Amino acid sequence: MTSVLLLAGGCGTGAQSSASATDATISLWTRDTQKEFINLVADAWNESHDTKVEVTLVPAADFIQKLATSATSGNAPDVASIDLVYLPYFASTGTLEDITELADDLPYKDSLSPSHRALATYNERTYALPFSGEASVLIYNKSLFKAAGLDPEKPPKNYAEIISAANKISDLGPDIHGFAIAGQCGGCNVFEFTPHVWASGGEVLSEDGSQARFDSQEVTDALTFYRRLYTDGTMPAQSRTDNGTHQPAVFQTGRVGMVPLGAFYTQVLKQDSDVDFGVAPLPGKNGGWSSFAGGDEIAVMKNGENKKGARDFVTWATGEQAQKVLADNSITPVRNDLTDEIYVPLDPRNKLFAEAMEKGRTPYSTVEHQLFNDPNGPWIQMINKAVFGGDIAAAQKEGQEAAQAIIDRAPQGTNARGNR
């Protein structure tokens, strides 16, 4: 079912280039949203190796569809950089090379991102290596905190403190808002909203992915928290329909006090904004904190032509040279044994992102897209109806039933981790 869903309406033509024709090249596919750093990584490899990496940027919205199509048509690239949430799906379809022995032989394997390693494991075998990291945090405008009489060095640490700060900031003027979300973006809200649930002791899926937990009390509390921010008038009106573009843009204008976003966004703020911003953990209802550990895995495709070159490259991509290229471009490294040396010294705010990569979590599911990222899926529909419609109980009941139905239709047979 998963394959059918992802391949439905097939794009047919694949990406702009296909698999490598000789051992002299390694074809690498990645999303076009990686363009700021992926060519720098490839350049670093190409300067020191005879075999050259050729990068193909695929539109992000089409990437999963095109990669799945290429894998089944025998036209896959040698290497693919894949959002880690989709690793269980691709591993379950048999399109990725089993690289368990390669991964186990890495001398720093225990220093790699725990979430990446977990998502790359299916039926107790390893199908990818961690490549790039990303972590969700609370980003806040220090200038608005000062103007509202708040201490910019003491960001809020629970739901009540965020609500109080958001109201004080919103009181600064009719075009100033305390908190913004992207209310019609599933991927944004699995990244930004689930840490509140985890930090409060809740879950959104069972550990093996076989049961939805959308109807838990911790999800109720987090939805009630967002609903209060909305009914208090602290969110911009656009939050209700935002597909992920308005939230970061409006924070850059300096008219929003807080947004839950990630390390990638701090690079944007440093380059294109005068906002004096701080970063803080995403808290639970009564304290504690959690984060969504995101980023990419790098995998050897089973139908690729240059298997040796592909294995060499994915191994090198976890090494210090490649990870430093990422760190220099505000991408969180996936090796915690390197972060204090190559990442944290670049900006003291990076320390939180490094800690969040170790502490962060990621839902494991072969149907992650249908559950969470699909704009018409049960996760974002539940959040949108609860926060902006107000009937939280009905929204959770509907979301829980729809999510469980998707899981029950999945073809994993036993459970989402492929264990027998």
Side-chain angles (χ1 to χ4, degrees):
M1 178 62 77
T2 308
S3 299
V4 172
L5 288 170
L6 283 173
L7 295 172
C11 298
T13 58
Q16 295 167 347
S17 69
S18 59
S20 62
T22 74
D23 288 346
T25 60
I26 303 165
S27 55
L28 165 63
W29 283 13
T30 188
R31 305 184 302 285
D32 58 358
T33 49
Q34 317 269 44
K35 64 182 179 181
E36 298 296 333
F37 66 86
I38 195 65
N39 283 316
L40 298 175
V41 172
D43 288 346
W45 164 276
N46 289 339
E47 288 172 1
S48 55
H49 295 78
D50 292 333
T51 304
K52 305 305 180 186
V53 169
E54 295 180 347
V55 175
T56 295
L57 297 174
V58 180
D62 301 331
F63 183 80
I64 299 302
Q65 180 78 64
K66 287 183 179 293
L67 186 63
T69 301
S70 74
T72 56
S73 64
N75 196 33
D78 299 314
V79 175
S81 177
I82 307 170
D83 188 328
L84 83 168
V85 301
Y86 295 117
L87 250 296
Y89 160 69
F90 279 107
S92 73
T93 61
T95 55
L96 306 181
E97 189 81 353
D98 183 338
I99 56 171
T100 303
E101 285 72 27
L102 183 156
D104 287 345
D105 286 344
L106 292 175
Y108 45 79
K109 66 175 183 179
D110 293 334
S111 298
L112 291 166
S113 161
S115 267
H116 283 72
R117 284 189 289 154
L119 272 287
T121 302
Y122 183 78
N123 196 17
E124 301 181 354
R125 305 296 291 177
T126 301
Y127 291 92
L129 294 179
F131 176 42
S132 62
E134 179 60 278
S136 51
V137 301
L138 182 69
I139 299 177
Y140 64 99
N141 184 319
K142 288 188 170 183
S143 299
L144 289 181
F145 266 59
K146 290 179 184 175
L150 299 164
D151 186 343
E153 303 307 320
K154 294 182 178 179
K157 294 182 178 179
N158 54 49
Y159 292 176
E161 290 183 6
I162 289 179
I163 291 169
S164 175
N167 275 284
K168 289 178 180 177
I169 291 168
S170 296
D171 287 343
L172 293 173
D175 62 341
I176 305 293
H177 293 89
F179 197 89
I181 67 170
Q184 199 55 58
C185 174
C188 304
N189 279 286
V190 69
F191 186 69
E192 302 167 9
F193 184 82
T194 48
H196 294 301
V197 177
W198 292 326
S200 302
E203 303 289 346
V204 294
L205 293 177
S206 61
E207 193 276 338
D208 67 0
S210 66
Q211 298 295 315
R213 297 282 188 261
F214 288 20
D215 58 352
S216 71
Q217 182 59 49
E218 291 81 7
V219 172
T220 305
D221 292 340
L223 290 170
T224 304
F225 162 52
Y226 267 23
R227 172 69 179 167
R228 173 71 183 277
L229 287 165
Y230 174 68
T231 57
D232 281 358
T234 70
M235 289 186 185
Q238 294 90 339
S239 285
R240 183 170 194 160
T241 57
D242 184 13
N243 63 5
T245 58
H246 181 265
Q247 180 197 31
V250 73
F251 187 85
Q252 281 180 254
T253 68
R255 292 185 285 109
V256 167
M258 294 170 281
V259 288
L261 283 169
F264 72 95
Y265 184 56
T266 65
Q267 182 184 33
V268 175
L269 289 174
K270 292 173 188 175
Q271 293 178 346
D272 302 324
S273 172
D274 294 326
V275 173
D276 180 15
F277 70 94
V279 297
L282 289 170
K285 179 181 180 182
N286 299 312
W289 69 278
S290 189
S291 180
F292 186 102
D296 269 29
E297 313 256 18
I298 195 158
V300 177
M301 299 299 295
K302 182 168 285 186
N303 291 333
E305 294 185 358
N306 189 352
K307 294 286 183 62
K308 180 183 184 306
R311 285 173 171 265
D312 289 346
F313 181 75
V314 300
T315 303
W316 175 86
T318 66
E320 182 168 351
Q321 184 182 7
Q323 291 296 304
K324 190 173 188 311
V325 172
L326 298 179
D328 289 344
N329 287 275
S330 297
I331 305 299
T332 308
V334 290
R335 283 181 53 184
N336 59 34
D337 61 326
L338 294 176
T339 52
D340 285 345
E341 179 182 350
I342 67 172
Y343 183 58
V344 174
L346 301 176
D347 186 325
R349 290 170 292 201
N350 287 348
K351 183 174 179 59
L352 175 61
F353 292 111
E355 292 174 353
M357 281 305 299
E358 288 192 65
K359 186 183 178 72
R361 301 174 57 182
T362 317
Y364 187 110
S365 176
T366 58
V367 287
E368 197 277 351
H369 177 78
Q370 294 92 325
L371 291 174
F372 296 105
N373 282 24
D374 185 347
N376 296 311
W379 179 249
I380 192 57
Q381 292 302 311
M382 175 188 70
I383 292 174
N384 194 282
K385 290 177 181 177
V387 174
F388 302 107
D391 192 340
I392 294 174
Q396 280 189 269
K397 182 176 186 296
E398 182 179 336
Q400 172 67 22
E401 292 174 352
Q404 193 58 54
I406 290 171
I407 292 170
D408 291 343
R409 291 196 301 269
Q412 66 265 27
T414 49
N415 64 50
R417 293 185 187 275
N419 298 324
R420 302 293 195 274

